[in-house]
Amino acid sequence: MQSILALFAFVLMVVGGYGYLNQPAQEPQWTRVVPGFAFSPYQKGQSPLKNTWPAQDEISQDLALLAGKTQAIRTYTVAQVFGDIPRLAKPFNINVALGAWISADLAANTQELDRLIELVQPPPSNVVRLIVGNEVLLRKELKQEQLLAYLDWVRERTDISVSTAEPWHVWLKNPVLAQHVDYLAVHLLPFWEGVALDDAVEFSVNAYRQLKQAFPGKKIVITEVGWPSQGRSIKQADASPANQARFLRRFIQRAEQEGMVFYLMEAFDQPWKADVEGSVGGYWGVYDSARIPKFETRNPVIAIPQWKLLATASIVVGLMLTLLLLIDGKALKI
């Protein structure tokens, strides 16, 4: 009788524990078409570090998946097949914020910017803005004067709006940068700053408002905003699918209220980034590397959706261990 009671108590503890930790959390519904996604269409196993690139048909399949779900995408380079993205995106009615990758390699920079200008002469109808460099100042790969010269060079050769993408605090520390761009391309990634999930949206909105105050009259475009679904924690920021869903659903609602233009970071997981940014880097996608959605956009968020299955497995394992112990105990008595 005591064994049965103990077993019953164990089952209640496991089911109750899993159920308590996985209570459905009501979050704002994500029902509208989002303004944009950061778009790096590498497939699983592909990597710029290994010089393996997606094919045009793979990029078209990714664009077809996003069609009707977003108004635009932002890219990071015009090298290789990525320069074809505006043309590939046009049949899907997707606009493009076309990016050029800038680094400490000056010869590569020249080649990249020449290709950028070539692609926008004459301006494709779906290229709505240009982004010259991504976190160049943050990575300290160029001096500010070098980046300013690149920005001026591009702006002289096109009527399309031009900027460079940097985190919000880099813009505040380098106010002269705003004089050489047509708009501010801003990254708001509170996870990297160790901000707790429940404070992350307000933190992002406050950063946005600081920029509006510091640069009145300058258009602000949030070119990266997101939360990772997997990887190490940073201070109070924890990576998980549930936290990713909560942050994005909350942010989208606030961004609508604030009138923000934003690109979610990012469309698809990029496993290759783990070699550059650590384990967190590969898991910022709304879709995983197999192009499967990672979380609910309308229903309540559950920390571990498959918790009932895990609870059942835990009970089965517990029972098996108990039986083994009982068998061993009987053997010792002989």
Side-chain angles (χ1 to χ4, degrees):
M1 184 65 179
Q2 290 181 345
S3 298
I4 294 175
L5 290 175
L7 178 61
F8 184 68
F10 170 72
V11 171
L12 284 179
M13 181 181 67
V14 171
V15 174
Y18 271 102
Y20 177 77
L21 294 174
N22 291 281
Q23 297 180 65
Q26 298 293 335
E27 299 290 349
Q29 290 191 5
W30 173 352
T31 58
R32 67 183 293 273
V33 176
V34 297
F37 280 101
F39 185 72
S40 294
Y42 291 98
Q43 307 293 313
K44 190 173 183 180
Q46 296 173 350
S47 167
L49 305 177
K50 299 177 182 178
N51 294 320
T52 53
W53 323 103
Q56 286 192 8
D57 62 338
E58 291 174 324
I59 294 176
S60 291
Q61 290 170 15
D62 284 346
L63 292 167
L65 178 61
L66 297 179
K69 300 179 179 69
T70 188
Q71 298 169 356
I73 55 174
R74 71 152 293 195
T75 65
Y76 293 83
T77 179
V78 292
Q80 303 294 333
V81 70
F82 302 103
D84 298 324
I85 289 177
R87 175 178 58 81
L88 297 173
K90 194 169 183 177
F92 300 103
N93 296 316
I94 294 176
N95 291 331
V96 180
L98 190 62
W101 188 260
I102 301 298
S103 69
D105 187 337
L106 302 186
N109 293 347
T110 298
Q111 184 176 7
E112 184 85 353
L113 294 181
D114 284 344
R115 180 91 192 278
L116 178 72
I117 295 301
E118 177 187 339
L119 289 170
V120 297
Q121 296 293 342
S125 60
N126 65 329
V127 174
V128 294
R129 53 182 60 96
L130 303 179
I131 303 175
V132 178
N134 187 74
E135 299 185 344
V136 175
L137 296 185
L138 178 69
R139 295 194 306 272
K140 299 180 180 180
E141 291 191 345
L142 290 178
K143 294 180 179 179
Q144 186 184 76
E145 293 75 16
Q146 293 173 296
L147 178 58
L148 297 182
Y150 284 138
L151 290 167
D152 292 343
W153 186 88
V154 173
R155 292 177 77 199
E156 290 171 359
R157 288 161 174 78
T158 181
D159 293 328
I160 302 174
S161 296
V162 177
S163 187
T164 187
E166 294 285 352
W168 67 278
H169 56 84
V170 174
W171 286 100
L172 292 177
K173 290 180 180 178
N174 299 273
V176 69
L177 190 60
Q179 300 173 19
H180 295 259
V181 299
D182 300 307
Y183 66 98
L184 272 59
V186 178
H187 292 175
L188 292 176
L189 301 168
F191 176 86
W192 284 125
E193 301 188 54
V195 179
L197 172 71
D198 287 339
D199 301 322
V201 170
E202 200 62 37
F203 176 90
S204 302
V205 172
N206 286 338
Y208 176 77
R209 290 175 176 172
Q210 287 184 57
L211 290 169
K212 288 185 69 176
Q213 183 176 3
F215 305 102
K218 206 77 172 182
K219 184 178 179 63
I220 298 173
V221 177
I222 310 304
T223 44
E224 284 185 4
V225 59
W227 196 274
S229 63
Q230 187 174 325
R232 71 185 188 279
S233 298
I234 298 179
K235 296 180 182 179
Q236 299 180 63
D238 297 319
S240 73
N243 283 355
Q244 183 184 47
R246 290 179 179 123
F247 174 79
L248 290 178
R249 288 172 62 167
R250 293 173 188 178
F251 176 83
I252 289 172
Q253 182 187 61
R254 284 299 302 276
E256 291 176 352
Q257 296 169 359
E258 297 287 332
M260 294 183 187
V261 177
F262 60 89
Y263 295 78
L264 296 183
M265 178 67 185
E266 58 190 319
F268 308 112
D269 277 353
Q270 300 292 301
W272 67 268
K273 287 185 180 178
D275 294 332
V276 179
E277 301 176 359
S279 59
V280 174
Y283 299 100
W284 290 76
V286 171
Y287 296 85
D288 66 19
S289 59
R291 281 41 184 174
I292 298 172
K294 290 159 63 176
F295 55 82
E296 287 280 357
T297 59
R298 299 187 182 187
N299 295 331
V301 175
I302 300 174
I304 306 176
Q306 66 276 23
W307 72 267
K308 293 180 180 179
L309 179 62
L310 293 175
T312 301
S314 298
I315 292 170
V316 171
V317 171
L319 289 173
M320 292 178 65
L321 290 174
T322 301
L323 289 173
L324 287 174
L325 289 173
L326 289 174
I327 292 172
D328 288 344
K330 290 179 181 179
L332 290 173
K333 293 177 182 179
I334 295 176

